[in-house]
Amino acid sequence: MDQARLHLMLCGGTGCHASGSKSFHEALDAELKNQGLEKEVRVIETGCNGFCALGPVMLVQPEGIFYQQLKADDAAELVESHFLKGRPVQRLMYRDPVSKKTMAHMDEIPFFAHQMIWAMRNKGLIDPESIDEYIARDGYFGMAKALTEMSSEDIIGEIKASGLRGRGGAGFPTGVKWGFAAQAKSDVKYVLCNADEGDPGAFMDRSILEADPHAVLEGMIIAAKAINATQGYIYCRTEYPLAIQRLSLAIEKARDYGLLGEDILGSGFGFDVDIYQGAGAFVCGEETALMRSIEGRRGMPRPRPPFPANKGLWDKPTVLNNVETLANVGQIMLNGGQWYASVGTESSKGTKVFAISGDINNIGLVEVPMGISLRKMIYDIGGGIPNKRKFKAVQLGGPSGGCIPEKYLDTPVDYEEIAKVGAIMGSGGVIVMDEKTCMVDMARFFMDFIQEESCGKCTPCREGTRRILEILEKISEGRGEPGDIETLEELSEVIKSSSLCGLGQTAPNPVLSTLNYFRDEYYAHVYEKRCPAKRCVALLKFTVDPDKCKKCGLCFKACPTGAVQWEKKQPASIDKEKCIQCMACYDACRFDAIE
Amino acid sequence: MAATDKLQHPDVTPEMIREIDDIIESQKNAPGAVIPVLRMSQDVVGYLPVEVIDYISAGLNIPSSDVYGVATFYSLFSLTPKGRHRIRACLGTACYVKGIKEVMGRISKEFDLEVGGTTEDRRFSLEAVRCLGACGLAPVVVVDQDTYGGISADQVSGILEKYE
Ligand SMILES: Cc1cc2nc3c(=O)[nH]c(=O)nc-3n(C[C@H](O)[C@H](O)[C@H](O)COP(=O)(O)O)c2cc1C
Ligand code: SF4
Ligand code: SF4
Ligand code: SF4
Ligand code: FES
Ligand code: FES
């Protein structure tokens, strides 16, 4: 390889593509050529760096300078000032929303500083389309060790020692799962990777696939050797075209290098992988449903036992693991289980990737050691709540998770501790909600999701969630009656105890956790016909309180129908005839003057 | 193999039928081929008319009720025609918290378009999807292949104007 003075690691993940990294890339290339720097300065498109909200982002190596929100127009200044004259451009650096300080280096930015990056270790550092760069970062070394020096028992022993638990939601110990499948007797066995990533608000799997596809393949090969499987499938959602493209390329390259296929590394062990595209059904993330879907049928869960370790895909012993789980495996082989287990809590070892989003300053993906507190995650890494609003709740665990209020923010993230406060770790979606979020509305939102995604096989799940949704809709429309809240609780218990799969068994969690912590909000809706967070349209009056109105006119500008009447130095008022209740004026008003 | 003249539908050209034949032929012997074949055929025609589903079931030698069951189970498949441009609005949690409801409301009002529907002139169809995995940019709307993040209701018509 020829030497370059600087490497510009430009993010080419889905998020940054959407915010314009391609046009910036073109402008940058043109400008580097213009200045005759194309040999000295190399631009490399990486996968997602994690700080997508500030995209497009770029890291200048070896200096470690981090640029954000780059636009095509910035290319000329960057090249001229930084890459030619050596004066980094302050204007394009990160500015901390809390301290208001400009920060040049990636590792001083709080969002990155508290992270511990293992599963995402190559994000932003390598070209995901180059197998050589992956290998240069110790890639496939763990696999080589597993294939040439270790027996099936050794591999499983090492994974058990690491304490690794499944990152797809349930947190089942990975080594134990592999152990079961290893014991099953069969000529054909399968290793599957769950890249369906159905939980809304979580995007770590996508990010790992886009930034480091070989890490997932490496994990699958090791799993295959552990259970003696010959064929693998990656079940990836169609909504992730870039991930599918990079995975296909990775598979092709690995085959070229003899790292996939027959007789890998001359070890006598053979294994191959294909991609299977999902077709958009949340329930297909459930393991037995996923297997049916690969078989070409409707993705409906089936009762267990028999467990997939004995009867899985096409009735053969099968192991299914999540993307993030598999991304950890290669490093565990290389560094040993003890190394992995040295981080975390008693019951939850290693690191976990979280997708922090919602009403929070620093939106993105973070990887932290298990045991860190929610507070630290939300305030130190996430930078707290924007717009001077107050924290209200944090929702963990996707649609079947729960909402955690302020008083439990010191809970350490750990499978058991999170469960104690009524949520679940799930796949790691962390959605922060400020005081403008209505908890009844959120419960309704999750129930709408679940109701639509229920496969319909069990009556309690199918009918029960529909009933819950109807009641929640009624309450948020101001038609709540005494007894509704109690009915919600009863229905929830029935659904939980009589559903076949994880979807139904956890479906009522959003309702139960909001009822538990925010019961007063339900009461306000039912008994006072009032929405304290002012979110439920039917309960709003759409009038301006002249005492609170600061006469700023923001509502006037926001209104699409001309229903807001306002003149300079006059308080606003709303014409109910013209108002379409779109809420734009609410969102615009900084003074809570609209009721 | 089903004879080509068995598939007759105004939206399906002979060229498309040949492509579908190739798809069926290439997948025929693969186990679990129904979903990939439906997906690829939908990419060819734009949606899955009943006639196409029957044609595929004959080609794969699978009862058409089974193929139907699959086609209706997965949200990717559409049995009705789509607009020239596909608007996919994210109804995931992050996008919901950040105001996708208002954005969708505006799309519906301005283009007289309901979720799951298509405009009269077939210019747009609107779908609600669950999380596009770009939550960092919430709220997110994807038009055809272009992703728009961090949008507000006000920006809707400006964005959609570009798609004729
Ligand atoms: C309704 C439902 C949806 C699920 N969706 C996913 C998913 O999208 N991705 C995932 O990895 N696991 C999902 N799971 C969990 C999987 O069934 C399974 O436990 C997991 O993929 C196993 O891998 P792990 O042990 O590495 O976590 C889901 C479970 C249920 C009940
Ligand atoms: S619990 Fe719900 S999603 Fe799961 S199998 Fe039963 S009906 Fe289907
Ligand atoms: S709710 Fe919408 S239409 Fe009504 S006054 Fe406010 S901005 Fe105007
Ligand atoms: S935005 Fe609020 S404060 Fe400003 S004019 Fe409108 S109602 Fe008054
Ligand atoms: S896509 Fe660029 S930082 Fe996530
Ligand atoms: S919630 Fe909308 S992209 Fe994830």
Side-chain angles (χ1 to χ4, degrees), chain A residues 10-19 21 46-57 66 112 203 206-207 210 364-365, chain B residues 133 136-137:
Chain A
L10 173 63
C11 180
T14 299
C16 287
H17 274 172
S19 47
S21 74
T46 71
C48 174
N49 149 298
F51 216 169
C52 320
L54 296 183
V57 303
F66 183 74
F112 297 106
F203 53 110
R206 190 211 73 188
S207 182
E210 286 178 6
L365 280 187
Chain B
L137 308 175

Side-chain angles (χ1 to χ4, degrees), chain A residues 15 18 53 200-201 203 206 237 276-277 279-280 284 293 295 297-299 314 357-358 363 431 441 444-446 449 535, chain B residues 31-32 35-36 39 69-70 73-76 91-94 96-98 102 106 130-137 147:
Chain A
F203 53 110
R206 190 211 73 188
R237 54 194 326 210
Y276 198 92
Q277 287 191 40
C284 284
S293 184
E295 290 166 2
R297 298 188 280 164
R298 304 174 73 136
W314 287 300
S357 64
I363 291 174
I431 294 145
D441 185 52
R444 190 201 53 75
F445 168 78
F446 285 115
F449 181 104
R535 268 283 129 195
Chain B
I35 298 172
R39 187 184 68 241
V70 169
F73 184 80
Y74 295 97
S75 62
L76 180 70
L91 248 182
T93 321
Y96 188 76
V97 170
K98 300 285 253 185
E102 287 72 24
R106 191 69 73 88
R130 299 295 192 179
C131 194
L132 294 149
C135 327
L137 308 175
T147 306

Side-chain angles (χ1 to χ4, degrees), chain A residues 14-16 18-19 52-53 197-203 206 235 237-241 276-281 283-284 292-300 314 357-360 363-364 395 431-433 437 441-442 444-446 448-449 452-453 455 535 537 557-558 560 580 582-584 587, chain B residues 27 30-40 43 62 65-77 86 88 90-103 105-106 109-110 115 127-138 140-142 145-149 153-154:
Chain A
T14 299
C16 287
S19 47
C52 320
E197 190 150 79
D199 273 11
F203 53 110
R206 190 211 73 188
Y235 190 93
R237 54 194 326 210
T238 319
E239 283 90 346
Y240 288 178
Y276 198 92
Q277 287 191 40
V283 72
C284 284
R292 288 207 175 195
S293 184
I294 296 183
E295 290 166 2
R297 298 188 280 164
R298 304 174 73 136
M300 292 201 183
W314 287 300
S357 64
D359 299 317
I360 188 154
I363 291 174
Q395 208 274 346
I431 294 145
V432 179
M433 303 169 189
T437 314
D441 185 52
M442 281 320 291
R444 190 201 53 75
F445 168 78
F446 285 115
D448 181 53
F449 181 104
E452 220 170 85
E453 300 294 337
C455 82
R535 268 283 129 195
V537 174
K557 289 199 196 91
I580 55 168
C582 72
M583 312 271 299
D587 292 331
Chain B
Q27 300 287 321
V34 180
I35 298 172
V37 170
L38 286 175
R39 187 184 68 241
M40 291 184 242
D43 286 344
I62 296 175
S65 59
D66 285 4
V67 183
Y68 257 105
V70 169
T72 50
F73 184 80
Y74 295 97
S75 62
L76 180 70
F77 302 126
R86 233 176 121 198
R88 290 183 295 159
C90 177
L91 248 182
T93 321
C95 290
Y96 188 76
V97 170
K98 300 285 253 185
I100 194 72
K101 203 167 94 185
E102 287 72 24
V103 171
R106 191 69 73 88
K109 287 234 159 66
E110 261 174 53
V115 171
E127 296 161 46
V129 296
R130 299 295 192 179
C131 194
L132 294 149
C135 327
L137 308 175
V140 181
V141 168
V142 177
Q145 303 299 324
D146 311 324
T147 306
Y148 298 90
D154 292 346

